[in-house]
Coordinates of all heavy atoms in Angstrom, one line a residue:
M363 N 9.1 4.7 -18.1 CA 7.8 5.1 -18.2 C 7.7 6.5 -17.7 O 8.3 6.8 -16.7 CB 6.9 4.2 -17.4 CG 5.5 4.7 -17.2 SD 4.4 3.4 -16.6 CE 4.3 2.3 -17.9
A364 N 6.9 7.3 -18.3 CA 6.8 8.7 -17.9 C 5.9 8.8 -16.6 O 5.0 8.0 -16.4 CB 6.1 9.5 -19.0
L365 N 6.2 9.8 -15.8 CA 5.5 10.0 -14.5 C 4.0 10.2 -14.8 O 3.1 9.8 -14.0 CB 6.1 11.2 -13.8 CG 5.8 11.3 -12.3 CD1 6.3 10.0 -11.6 CD2 6.5 12.5 -11.7
T366 N 3.7 10.7 -16.0 CA 2.2 10.9 -16.3 C 1.5 9.7 -16.6 O 0.3 9.6 -16.6 CB 2.1 11.9 -17.5 OG1 2.9 11.3 -18.6 CG2 2.7 13.3 -17.2
D367 N 2.2 8.6 -16.9 CA 1.6 7.3 -17.1 C 1.3 6.5 -15.8 O 0.7 5.5 -15.8 CB 2.5 6.4 -18.0 CG 2.7 7.0 -19.4 OD1 1.8 7.7 -19.8 OD2 3.7 6.7 -20.0
L368 N 1.8 7.1 -14.7 CA 1.6 6.4 -13.4 C 0.5 7.0 -12.6 O 0.0 8.1 -12.8 CB 2.9 6.6 -12.6 CG 4.2 6.1 -13.2 CD1 5.4 6.4 -12.4 CD2 4.2 4.7 -13.6
V369 N 0.0 6.2 -11.6 CA -1.1 6.7 -10.7 C -0.5 6.5 -9.3 O 0.5 5.8 -9.1 CB -2.4 5.9 -10.8 CG1 -3.0 6.0 -12.2 CG2 -2.2 4.4 -10.5
A370 N -1.1 7.3 -8.4 CA -0.7 7.2 -7.0 C -2.0 7.1 -6.2 O -3.0 7.7 -6.5 CB 0.1 8.4 -6.6
R371 N -1.9 6.4 -5.1 CA -3.0 6.2 -4.1 C -2.5 6.3 -2.7 O -1.5 5.7 -2.4 CB -3.7 4.9 -4.3 CG -4.3 4.6 -5.7 CD -5.4 5.5 -6.1 NE -6.0 5.2 -7.4 CZ -5.7 5.9 -8.5 NH1 -4.8 6.9 -8.4 NH2 -6.2 5.6 -9.6
S372 N -3.2 7.0 -1.9 CA -3.0 7.1 -0.5 C -4.0 6.2 0.2 O -5.2 6.3 -0.1 CB -3.2 8.5 0.1 OG -3.0 8.6 1.4
V373 N -3.6 5.3 1.0 CA -4.5 4.2 1.5 C -4.4 4.1 3.1 O -3.3 4.2 3.7 CB -4.1 2.8 1.0 CG1 -5.1 1.8 1.4 CG2 -3.9 2.9 -0.6
T374 N -5.6 4.0 3.7 CA -5.7 3.7 5.1 C -6.4 2.4 5.3 O -7.5 2.2 4.8 CB -6.5 4.8 5.8 OG1 -5.8 6.1 5.6 CG2 -6.5 4.6 7.3
V375 N -5.8 1.5 6.0 CA -6.4 0.2 6.3 C -6.7 0.1 7.8 O -5.8 0.3 8.6 CB -5.4 -0.9 5.9 CG1 -6.1 -2.3 6.1 CG2 -4.9 -0.8 4.5
R376 N -7.9 -0.3 8.1 CA -8.4 -0.4 9.5 C -8.8 -1.8 9.8 O -9.2 -2.6 8.9 CB -9.6 0.5 9.7 CG -9.3 2.0 9.6 CD -10.6 2.8 9.8 NE -10.2 4.2 9.7 CZ -10.0 4.9 8.5 NH1 -10.1 4.2 7.3 NH2 -9.7 6.2 8.5
G377 N -8.5 -2.2 11.0 CA -8.9 -3.5 11.5 C -7.7 -4.1 12.3 O -6.9 -3.3 12.9
L378 N -7.6 -5.4 12.4 CA -6.5 -6.0 13.1 C -5.3 -6.1 12.0 O -5.3 -7.1 11.3 CB -6.8 -7.4 13.6 CG -5.7 -8.2 14.2 CD1 -5.1 -7.5 15.4 CD2 -6.2 -9.6 14.7
V379 N -4.6 -5.0 11.9 CA -3.6 -4.9 10.8 C -2.2 -4.6 11.2 O -1.3 -4.5 10.4 CB -4.1 -3.9 9.8 CG1 -5.4 -4.4 9.1 CG2 -4.4 -2.5 10.4
Q380 N -2.0 -4.6 12.6 CA -0.7 -4.3 13.1 C -0.2 -5.6 13.8 O -1.0 -6.3 14.5 CB -0.6 -3.1 14.0 CG -0.8 -1.8 13.2 CD -0.5 -0.6 14.1 OE1 -0.1 -0.7 15.2 NE2 -0.8 0.5 13.6
G381 N 1.0 -6.0 13.7 CA 1.5 -7.2 14.4 C 1.2 -8.4 13.7 O 1.3 -9.5 14.3
V382 N 0.8 -8.4 12.4 CA 0.4 -9.6 11.7 C 1.2 -9.7 10.4 O 0.7 -10.3 9.4 CB -1.1 -9.6 11.5 CG1 -1.9 -9.8 12.8 CG2 -1.6 -8.4 10.7
F383 N 2.3 -9.1 10.3 CA 3.2 -9.1 9.1 C 2.6 -8.3 8.0 O 2.9 -8.5 6.8 CB 3.6 -10.5 8.7 CG 4.3 -11.2 9.8 CD1 3.7 -12.2 10.6 CD2 5.7 -11.0 10.0 CE1 4.4 -12.8 11.6 CE2 6.4 -11.7 10.9 CZ 5.7 -12.6 11.8
F384 N 1.7 -7.4 8.3 CA 1.0 -6.7 7.2 C 1.9 -5.8 6.4 O 1.9 -5.9 5.2 CB -0.1 -5.7 7.9 CG -1.2 -5.4 6.9 CD1 -2.4 -6.0 7.0 CD2 -1.1 -4.4 5.9 CE1 -3.5 -5.7 6.2 CE2 -2.1 -4.1 5.1 CZ -3.3 -4.8 5.2
R385 N 2.8 -5.0 7.1 CA 3.7 -4.2 6.4 C 4.7 -5.0 5.5 O 5.0 -4.6 4.4 CB 4.5 -3.2 7.3 CG 3.6 -2.2 8.0 CD 4.3 -1.4 9.0 NE 5.0 -2.3 10.0 CZ 6.0 -1.9 10.7 NH1 6.6 -0.8 10.6 NH2 6.5 -2.8 11.6
D386 N 5.3 -6.0 6.1 CA 6.3 -6.8 5.4 C 5.7 -7.5 4.2 O 6.3 -7.5 3.1 CB 6.9 -7.8 6.3 CG 8.1 -8.6 5.7 OD1 9.0 -7.9 5.2 OD2 8.1 -9.8 5.6
T387 N 4.5 -8.0 4.3 CA 3.8 -8.7 3.2 C 3.5 -7.7 2.1 O 3.6 -8.0 0.9 CB 2.6 -9.5 3.7 OG1 3.0 -10.4 4.8 CG2 2.1 -10.3 2.6
T388 N 3.0 -6.5 2.6 CA 2.7 -5.5 1.6 C 3.9 -5.1 0.8 O 3.8 -4.9 -0.4 CB 2.1 -4.2 2.3 OG1 0.9 -4.6 3.0 CG2 1.8 -3.1 1.3
R389 N 5.0 -4.9 1.5 CA 6.3 -4.6 0.8 C 6.6 -5.6 -0.3 O 7.0 -5.3 -1.4 CB 7.4 -4.4 1.7 CG 8.7 -4.1 1.1 CD 9.9 -3.9 2.0 NE 10.0 -5.2 2.8 CZ 10.9 -5.3 3.8 NH1 11.6 -4.3 4.2 NH2 10.9 -6.4 4.5
K390 N 6.5 -6.9 0.1 CA 6.9 -8.0 -0.8 C 5.9 -8.0 -2.0 O 6.4 -8.2 -3.1 CB 6.8 -9.4 0.0 CG 7.9 -9.5 0.9 CD 7.8 -10.9 1.7 CE 8.9 -11.0 2.7 NZ 8.7 -12.1 3.6
V391 N 4.6 -7.9 -1.8 CA 3.7 -7.8 -2.9 C 4.0 -6.7 -3.8 O 4.0 -6.8 -5.0 CB 2.2 -7.7 -2.4 CG1 1.3 -7.4 -3.4 CG2 1.9 -9.1 -1.6
A392 N 4.2 -5.5 -3.2 CA 4.4 -4.3 -4.1 C 5.6 -4.4 -4.9 O 5.7 -4.1 -6.1 CB 4.4 -3.1 -3.1
R393 N 6.7 -4.8 -4.2 CA 8.0 -5.0 -5.0 C 7.9 -6.0 -6.0 O 8.5 -5.8 -7.1 CB 9.1 -5.3 -4.0 CG 9.6 -4.1 -3.2 CD 10.7 -4.5 -2.3 NE 11.3 -3.2 -1.6 CZ 12.3 -3.3 -0.8 NH1 12.9 -4.4 -0.4 NH2 12.7 -2.2 -0.2
S394 N 7.2 -7.1 -5.8 CA 7.1 -8.2 -6.8 C 6.4 -7.7 -8.1 O 6.7 -8.3 -9.1 CB 6.4 -9.4 -6.2 OG 5.0 -9.2 -6.1
I395 N 5.6 -6.7 -8.0 CA 4.9 -6.3 -9.2 C 5.2 -4.8 -9.7 O 4.6 -4.3 -10.5 CB 3.3 -6.4 -9.1 CG1 2.8 -5.7 -7.9 CG2 3.0 -7.9 -9.0 CD1 1.3 -5.7 -7.7
G396 N 6.3 -4.3 -9.0 CA 6.8 -3.0 -9.5 C 6.1 -1.8 -9.0 O 6.1 -0.7 -9.7
V397 N 5.5 -1.9 -7.8 CA 4.8 -0.7 -7.3 C 5.8 0.0 -6.3 O 6.4 -0.7 -5.5 CB 3.5 -1.1 -6.6 CG1 2.9 0.1 -5.8 CG2 2.5 -1.5 -7.7
A398 N 5.9 1.3 -6.3 CA 6.8 2.0 -5.4 C 5.9 2.7 -4.3 O 4.7 2.8 -4.5 CB 7.5 3.1 -6.2
G399 N 6.6 3.1 -3.3 CA 5.9 3.9 -2.2 C 6.3 3.4 -0.9 O 7.5 3.1 -0.7
W400 N 5.4 3.3 0.1 CA 5.8 3.0 1.5 C 4.5 2.5 2.2 O 3.4 2.7 1.7 CB 6.4 4.2 2.2 CG 5.6 5.5 2.1 CD1 5.8 6.5 1.3 CD2 4.5 5.8 3.0 NE1 4.8 7.5 1.5 CE2 4.0 7.1 2.5 CE3 3.8 5.2 4.0 CZ2 3.0 7.8 3.1 CZ3 2.7 5.9 4.6 CH2 2.3 7.1 4.1
V401 N 4.8 1.9 3.3 CA 3.7 1.4 4.2 C 4.2 1.6 5.7 O 5.4 1.5 6.0 CB 3.3 -0.1 4.0 CG1 4.6 -1.0 4.2 CG2 2.1 -0.5 4.7
S402 N 3.3 2.0 6.6 CA 3.7 2.3 7.9 C 2.5 2.0 8.9 O 1.3 2.1 8.5 CB 4.1 3.8 8.1 OG 3.0 4.6 7.9
N403 N 2.9 1.6 10.1 CA 1.9 1.5 11.2 C 1.7 2.9 11.8 O 2.7 3.7 12.0 CB 2.5 0.6 12.3 CG 2.4 -0.8 12.0 OD1 1.7 -1.2 11.1 ND2 3.1 -1.7 12.7
E404 N 0.5 3.2 12.1 CA 0.1 4.5 12.7 C -0.3 4.3 14.2 O -0.7 3.2 14.6 CB -1.0 5.2 11.9 CG -0.6 5.5 10.5 CD 0.6 6.4 10.3 OE1 0.7 7.4 11.0 OE2 1.5 6.0 9.5
S405 N -0.2 5.4 15.0 CA -0.5 5.3 16.4 C -1.9 5.0 16.7 O -2.2 4.4 17.8 CB 0.0 6.6 17.1 OG -0.8 7.7 16.6
D406 N -2.8 5.2 15.7 CA -4.2 4.9 16.0 C -4.6 3.4 15.6 O -5.8 3.1 15.6 CB -5.1 5.9 15.2 CG -4.9 5.8 13.7 OD1 -4.1 4.9 13.2 OD2 -5.6 6.5 12.9
G407 N -3.6 2.6 15.3 CA -3.8 1.2 15.0 C -4.0 0.9 13.5 O -4.2 -0.2 13.2
T408 N -4.1 2.0 12.7 CA -4.2 1.7 11.2 C -2.9 1.5 10.6 O -1.9 1.7 11.2 CB -4.9 2.9 10.5 OG1 -4.0 4.1 10.7 CG2 -6.3 3.3 11.1
V409 N -3.0 1.0 9.4 CA -1.8 1.0 8.5 C -2.0 2.0 7.4 O -3.1 2.0 6.8 CB -1.6 -0.4 7.9 CG1 -0.6 -0.5 6.8 CG2 -1.1 -1.4 9.0
Q410 N -1.1 2.8 7.1 CA -1.1 3.8 6.0 C -0.2 3.3 4.9 O 0.9 2.7 5.2 CB -0.6 5.2 6.5 CG -1.5 5.8 7.6 CD -2.8 6.4 7.0 OE1 -2.8 6.8 5.8 NE2 -3.8 6.4 7.8
A411 N -0.6 3.5 3.7 CA 0.3 3.2 2.5 C 0.2 4.2 1.5 O -0.8 4.9 1.3 CB -0.1 1.8 2.0
W412 N 1.3 4.3 0.8 CA 1.4 5.2 -0.4 C 1.8 4.3 -1.6 O 2.9 3.6 -1.5 CB 2.4 6.3 -0.3 CG 2.5 7.2 -1.5 CD1 3.3 6.9 -2.6 CD2 1.8 8.4 -1.8 NE1 3.2 7.9 -3.5 CE2 2.3 8.8 -3.0 CE3 0.9 9.1 -1.1 CZ2 1.8 10.0 -3.6 CZ3 0.4 10.3 -1.6 CH2 0.8 10.7 -2.9
L413 N 1.0 4.2 -2.6 CA 1.3 3.3 -3.7 C 1.4 4.1 -5.0 O 0.6 5.0 -5.3 CB 0.1 2.3 -3.9 CG -0.4 1.5 -2.7 CD1 -1.6 0.8 -3.1 CD2 0.7 0.7 -2.2
E414 N 2.4 3.9 -5.8 CA 2.4 4.5 -7.1 C 3.1 3.6 -8.1 O 4.0 2.8 -7.8 CB 3.1 5.9 -7.1 CG 4.5 6.0 -6.7 CD 4.9 7.4 -6.7 OE1 4.5 8.2 -5.9 OE2 5.8 7.8 -7.5
G415 N 2.5 3.6 -9.3 CA 3.0 2.8 -10.4 C 2.0 2.7 -11.5 O 1.1 3.5 -11.6
E416 N 2.1 1.7 -12.3 CA 1.2 1.5 -13.4 C -0.2 1.2 -12.8 O -0.3 0.5 -11.8 CB 1.6 0.3 -14.3 CG 2.9 0.6 -15.1 CD 3.4 -0.5 -15.9 OE1 2.6 -1.5 -16.1 OE2 4.5 -0.4 -16.5
P417 N -1.3 1.6 -13.5 CA -2.6 1.4 -12.8 C -2.9 0.0 -12.5 O -3.5 -0.2 -11.4 CB -3.5 2.0 -13.9 CG -2.7 3.0 -14.7 CD -1.3 2.5 -14.6
D418 N -2.7 -0.9 -13.3 CA -3.0 -2.3 -13.1 C -2.2 -2.9 -11.9 O -2.7 -3.6 -11.0 CB -2.8 -3.2 -14.3 CG -3.8 -3.0 -15.4 OD1 -4.8 -2.4 -15.1 OD2 -3.5 -3.4 -16.5
A419 N -1.0 -2.5 -11.8 CA -0.1 -2.9 -10.7 C -0.6 -2.4 -9.3 O -0.7 -3.1 -8.3 CB 1.4 -2.6 -10.9
V420 N -0.9 -1.1 -9.3 CA -1.5 -0.4 -8.1 C -2.8 -1.1 -7.7 O -3.0 -1.4 -6.5 CB -1.7 1.1 -8.3 CG1 -2.4 1.7 -7.2 CG2 -0.3 1.7 -8.4
D421 N -3.6 -1.4 -8.7 CA -4.9 -2.1 -8.4 C -4.6 -3.5 -7.7 O -5.4 -3.9 -6.9 CB -5.8 -2.3 -9.6 CG -6.4 -1.0 -10.1 OD1 -6.4 0.0 -9.3 OD2 -6.9 -0.9 -11.2
Q422 N -3.6 -4.2 -8.2 CA -3.3 -5.5 -7.6 C -2.9 -5.3 -6.1 O -3.3 -6.2 -5.3 CB -2.1 -6.2 -8.4 CG -2.5 -6.7 -9.7 CD -1.3 -7.4 -10.4 OE1 -0.7 -8.2 -9.8 NE2 -1.1 -7.0 -11.6
V423 N -2.1 -4.3 -5.8 CA -1.7 -4.1 -4.4 C -3.0 -3.7 -3.6 O -3.1 -4.2 -2.5 CB -0.6 -3.1 -4.3 CG1 -0.3 -2.8 -2.8 CG2 0.6 -3.5 -5.0
L424 N -3.8 -2.9 -4.2 CA -5.1 -2.5 -3.5 C -5.9 -3.8 -3.2 O -6.5 -3.9 -2.1 CB -5.9 -1.5 -4.3 CG -5.3 -0.1 -4.4 CD1 -6.1 0.8 -5.4 CD2 -5.3 0.5 -3.0
R425 N -6.0 -4.7 -4.1 CA -6.8 -5.9 -3.9 C -6.1 -6.7 -2.7 O -6.9 -7.2 -1.8 CB -6.8 -6.8 -5.1 CG -7.8 -6.3 -6.1 CD -8.1 -7.4 -7.2 NE -7.0 -7.6 -8.1 CZ -6.7 -6.9 -9.1 NH1 -7.4 -5.8 -9.4 NH2 -5.6 -7.2 -9.9
F426 N -4.8 -6.7 -2.6 CA -4.2 -7.4 -1.5 C -4.5 -6.7 -0.1 O -4.8 -7.3 0.8 CB -2.6 -7.5 -1.7 CG -1.9 -7.8 -0.4 CD1 -1.9 -9.1 0.1 CD2 -1.4 -6.8 0.4 CE1 -1.3 -9.4 1.3 CE2 -0.8 -7.1 1.6 CZ -0.7 -8.4 2.1
L427 N -4.5 -5.3 -0.2 CA -4.7 -4.6 1.1 C -6.1 -4.8 1.6 O -6.3 -4.6 2.8 CB -4.4 -3.1 0.8 CG -3.0 -2.7 0.6 CD1 -2.9 -1.2 0.2 CD2 -2.1 -3.0 1.7
R428 N -7.0 -5.1 0.7 CA -8.4 -5.3 1.2 C -8.6 -6.6 2.0 O -9.6 -6.8 2.7 CB -9.3 -5.3 0.0 CG -9.5 -3.9 -0.6 CD -10.5 -3.8 -1.7 NE -10.7 -2.4 -2.0 CZ -10.1 -1.8 -3.1 NH1 -9.3 -2.4 -3.8 NH2 -10.4 -0.5 -3.3
T429 N -7.6 -7.5 1.9 CA -7.7 -8.7 2.8 C -6.4 -8.9 3.7 O -6.6 -9.4 4.8 CB -7.8 -10.0 1.9 OG1 -6.7 -10.0 1.0 CG2 -9.1 -10.0 1.1
G430 N -5.3 -8.5 3.2 CA -4.0 -8.5 4.0 C -3.6 -10.0 4.0 O -4.1 -10.9 3.4
P431 N -2.5 -10.2 4.8 CA -2.0 -11.5 5.0 C -3.0 -12.4 5.8 O -3.9 -11.8 6.4 CB -0.7 -11.3 5.8 CG -0.9 -10.0 6.5 CD -1.8 -9.1 5.6
P432 N -2.8 -13.7 5.9 CA -3.7 -14.5 6.6 C -4.1 -14.2 8.1 O -5.2 -14.3 8.5 CB -3.0 -15.9 6.6 CG -2.1 -15.9 5.4 CD -1.7 -14.4 5.3
E433 N -3.1 -13.6 8.8 CA -3.4 -13.3 10.2 C -4.2 -12.0 10.4 O -4.7 -11.8 11.5 CB -2.1 -13.2 11.0 CG -1.2 -14.4 10.9 CD -0.3 -14.6 9.7 OE1 -0.3 -13.6 8.8 OE2 0.3 -15.6 9.5
A434 N -4.3 -11.2 9.3 CA -5.0 -9.9 9.5 C -6.5 -10.1 9.4 O -7.0 -11.0 8.8 CB -4.5 -9.0 8.3
E435 N -7.2 -9.1 9.9 CA -8.6 -8.9 9.8 C -8.9 -7.5 9.4 O -9.1 -6.6 10.2 CB -9.3 -9.2 11.1 CG -9.2 -10.7 11.6 CD -9.8 -11.0 12.9 OE1 -10.7 -10.2 13.3 OE2 -9.3 -11.9 13.6
V436 N -9.0 -7.3 8.1 CA -9.2 -6.0 7.5 C -10.7 -5.6 7.7 O -11.6 -6.4 7.3 CB -8.8 -5.9 6.1 CG1 -9.2 -4.5 5.5 CG2 -7.3 -6.2 5.9
V437 N -11.1 -4.5 8.3 CA -12.4 -4.0 8.5 C -12.8 -3.1 7.4 O -13.9 -3.1 6.8 CB -12.6 -3.4 9.9 CG1 -13.9 -2.7 10.0 CG2 -12.3 -4.4 11.0
S438 N -11.9 -2.1 7.0 CA -12.2 -1.2 5.9 C -10.9 -0.6 5.4 O -9.8 -0.7 6.0 CB -13.0 0.0 6.5 OG -12.2 0.8 7.3
V439 N -11.0 -0.2 4.1 CA -9.9 0.4 3.4 C -10.4 1.7 2.7 O -11.4 1.6 2.0 CB -9.4 -0.6 2.3 CG1 -8.2 0.1 1.5 CG2 -8.9 -1.9 2.9
T440 N -9.7 2.8 3.0 CA -10.0 4.0 2.3 C -8.9 4.3 1.3 O -7.7 4.3 1.7 CB -10.1 5.2 3.4 OG1 -11.0 4.8 4.4 CG2 -10.4 6.5 2.8
V441 N -9.3 4.7 0.1 CA -8.3 5.0 -0.9 C -8.6 6.4 -1.5 O -9.7 6.7 -1.9 CB -8.4 3.9 -2.1 CG1 -7.4 4.2 -3.2 CG2 -8.3 2.5 -1.5
D442 N -7.5 7.2 -1.6 CA -7.6 8.5 -2.2 C -6.7 8.6 -3.4 O -5.5 8.1 -3.3 CB -7.3 9.6 -1.2 CG -8.3 9.7 -0.1 OD1 -9.5 9.8 -0.4 OD2 -7.9 9.6 1.1
E443 N -7.1 9.2 -4.5 CA -6.3 9.4 -5.6 C -5.3 10.6 -5.3 O -5.7 11.5 -4.7 CB -7.1 9.7 -6.9 CG -7.9 8.6 -7.3 CD -8.6 8.8 -8.7 OE1 -8.2 9.7 -9.4 OE2 -9.6 8.1 -8.9
E444 N -4.1 10.4 -5.7 CA -3.0 11.4 -5.5 C -2.2 11.6 -6.8 O -2.4 10.8 -7.7 CB -2.1 10.9 -4.4 CG -2.8 10.6 -3.0 CD -3.3 11.8 -2.3 OE1 -2.9 13.0 -2.7 OE2 -3.9 11.6 -1.3
Q445 N -1.4 12.5 -6.8 CA -0.4 12.8 -7.8 C 0.9 12.0 -7.5 O 1.3 12.1 -6.4 CB -0.1 14.3 -8.0 CG -1.3 15.1 -8.5 CD -1.7 14.6 -9.9 OE1 -0.9 14.4 -10.8 NE2 -3.1 14.5 -10.0
P446 N 1.4 11.3 -8.5 CA 2.7 10.5 -8.2 C 3.8 11.5 -7.7 O 3.9 12.6 -8.2 CB 3.0 10.0 -9.6 CG 1.7 9.8 -10.3 CD 0.9 11.0 -9.8
A447 N 4.6 11.0 -6.8 CA 5.6 11.7 -6.2 C 7.0 11.3 -6.7 O 8.0 11.9 -6.3 CB 5.6 11.6 -4.6
G448 N 7.1 10.3 -7.5 CA 8.4 9.9 -8.0 C 9.1 8.9 -7.2 O 10.3 8.8 -7.3
H449 N 8.4 8.1 -6.3 CA 9.1 7.1 -5.5 C 9.7 6.1 -6.5 O 9.1 5.8 -7.5 CB 8.2 6.4 -4.6 CG 7.7 7.3 -3.5 ND1 8.5 7.5 -2.3 CD2 6.6 8.0 -3.3 CE1 7.8 8.3 -1.5 NE2 6.7 8.6 -2.1
D450 N 10.9 5.5 -6.1 CA 11.5 4.5 -7.0 C 11.6 3.1 -6.4 O 12.1 2.2 -7.0 CB 12.8 5.0 -7.5 CG 13.8 5.3 -6.5 OD1 13.5 5.1 -5.3 OD2 14.9 5.7 -6.8
T451 N 11.2 3.0 -5.1 CA 11.3 1.7 -4.4 C 10.1 1.6 -3.5 O 9.4 2.6 -3.3 CB 12.6 1.5 -3.7 OG1 12.6 0.1 -3.2 CG2 12.8 2.4 -2.6
F452 N 9.9 0.5 -2.8 CA 8.8 0.4 -1.8 C 9.5 0.0 -0.5 O 10.3 -0.9 -0.4 CB 7.8 -0.7 -2.2 CG 6.5 -0.6 -1.4 CD1 5.5 0.1 -2.0 CD2 6.4 -1.1 -0.2 CE1 4.3 0.3 -1.3 CE2 5.2 -1.0 0.6 CZ 4.1 -0.3 0.0
E453 N 9.2 0.8 0.6 CA 9.8 0.6 1.9 C 8.8 0.6 3.0 O 7.7 1.1 2.9 CB 10.8 1.8 2.1 CG 10.2 3.1 2.1 CD 11.2 4.3 2.3 OE1 12.3 4.1 1.8 OE2 10.8 5.3 2.9
I454 N 9.3 0.0 4.1 CA 8.5 0.1 5.4 C 9.0 1.3 6.1 O 10.2 1.5 6.3 CB 8.7 -1.2 6.2 CG1 8.1 -2.4 5.4 CG2 8.1 -1.0 7.6 CD1 8.4 -3.7 6.1
R455 N 8.1 2.1 6.6 CA 8.4 3.3 7.4 C 8.1 3.0 8.9 O 7.2 2.3 9.2 CB 7.6 4.5 6.9 CG 8.1 5.0 5.6 CD 7.5 6.3 5.3 NE 8.1 6.9 4.1 CZ 7.7 8.0 3.6 NH1 6.6 8.6 4.0 NH2 8.2 8.5 2.5

């Protein structure tokens, strides 16, 4: 697939999102549907993610991020459109 067919999103997730398997579950979801990028815990208590892939697949991961794994309590999700950077896998940072 050409890079021009892909979309990218920068995401900030706020709430009880650290220490609840949020990053690991996000990685599993993203990899299972072919979304590349990364997810990381930030010092301010948020989780940051970079998603890129086919639009429908990225939307599926965004839907997951809005609720997270069962132990999480997502308060808000901020999504910004970005230009794809060419990631080829999904990793925890």
